[in-house]
């Protein structure tokens, strides 16, 4: 049985995170980035998320990073301070194993512990697996924007799912 661990990401994880992420960049519409991300750029992104007081987590199987999840601020205006957008990616072959749900639950727990109120997941369409994951976790579809991205020679829709966390500010 493999040893599974979830821990905060560090800059040294950046190259492995790029190895997971860049195939999505190059060959899918799951992300709207169009150029591969360097390890240095990814390390900067990890540091920026942590500097903003938000979690960036990695899921390791037998010591190897096979997935990651993090949150960023939803919008810059102060009244949005309790809302974040979530992101989760798994290495090829790790989908459908329960690892994504386990990782996402850890992220949601960490966000709740920080007193955040709303988590928003944007999903390029179609993406049956990601939609199913979000809905299993209690997210509700709240918006659908048609043809807002153009990648790989076609227009892509993006839909949003929202989860109101059980903890958070009441004022």
């Amino acid at each position: 049985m493999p040893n599974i661990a979830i821990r905060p990401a560090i800059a040294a994880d950046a190259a492995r995170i790029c190895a997971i992420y860049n195939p999505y960049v190059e060959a899918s519409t799951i992300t709207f980035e169009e150029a591969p991300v360097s390890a240095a750029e990814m390390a900067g992104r990890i540091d920026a998320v942590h500097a903003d007081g938000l979690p960036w987590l990695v899921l390791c199987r037998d010591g190897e990073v096979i997935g990651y999840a993090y949150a960023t601020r939803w919008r810059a205006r102060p009244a949005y301070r309790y809302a974040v957008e979530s992101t989760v990616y798994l290495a090829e072959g790790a989908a459908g194993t329960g690892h994504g749900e386990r990782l996402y639950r850890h992220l949601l727990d960490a966000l709740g512990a920080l007193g955040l109120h709303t988590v928003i997941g944007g999903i390029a369409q179609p993406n049956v697996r990601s939609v199913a994951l979000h809905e299993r976790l209690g997210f509700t579809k709240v918006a659908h924007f048609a043809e807002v991205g153009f990648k790989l020679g076609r227009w892509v829709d993006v839909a949003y799912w929202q989860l109101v966390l059980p903890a958070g500010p009441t004022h």
Side-chain angles (χ1 to χ4, degrees):
M1 179 148 197
N3 179 22
I4 303 297
I6 296 173
R7 61 168 173 78
I10 58 175
D13 296 321
R16 179 65 188 136
I17 289 170
C18 287
I20 293 169
Y21 182 61
N22 284 333
Y24 292 100
V25 171
E26 295 168 332
S28 81
T29 58
I30 289 174
T31 175
F32 283 2
E33 284 199 75
E34 295 180 317
V37 178
S38 71
E41 169 66 21
M42 191 63 75
R45 291 178 187 189
I46 293 167
D47 289 344
V49 167
H50 289 311
D52 205 17
L54 294 170
W56 186 313
L57 305 173
V58 293
L59 184 140
C60 302
R61 181 178 57 209
D62 296 327
E64 179 185 17
V65 174
I66 63 165
Y68 66 94
Y70 65 92
T72 56
R73 299 289 170 191
W74 171 243
R75 295 282 187 258
R77 304 266 192 265
Y80 289 117
R81 69 187 166 276
Y82 298 109
V84 294
E85 185 170 7
S86 57
T87 299
V88 61
Y89 282 92
L90 293 175
E92 180 148 348
T97 61
H99 293 318
E101 186 170 340
R102 176 186 281 180
L103 179 58
Y104 214 149
R105 286 188 188 282
H106 271 77
L107 178 66
L108 295 174
D109 288 346
L111 295 171
L114 291 171
L116 294 163
H117 183 68
T118 298
V119 182
I120 299 162
I123 306 171
Q125 297 297 299
N127 188 332
V128 174
R129 281 187 166 173
S130 187
V131 168
L133 172 62
H134 283 81
E135 291 180 352
R136 265 194 319 277
L137 292 169
F139 284 74
T140 302
K141 186 176 182 181
V142 294
H144 190 114
F145 297 100
E147 300 183 359
V148 294
F150 188 82
K151 186 173 177 189
L152 300 178
R154 68 181 182 93
W155 289 105
V156 183
D157 294 2
V158 176
Y160 286 89
W161 275 255
Q162 178 182 7
L163 176 69
V164 175
L165 297 170
T170 57
H171 55 283

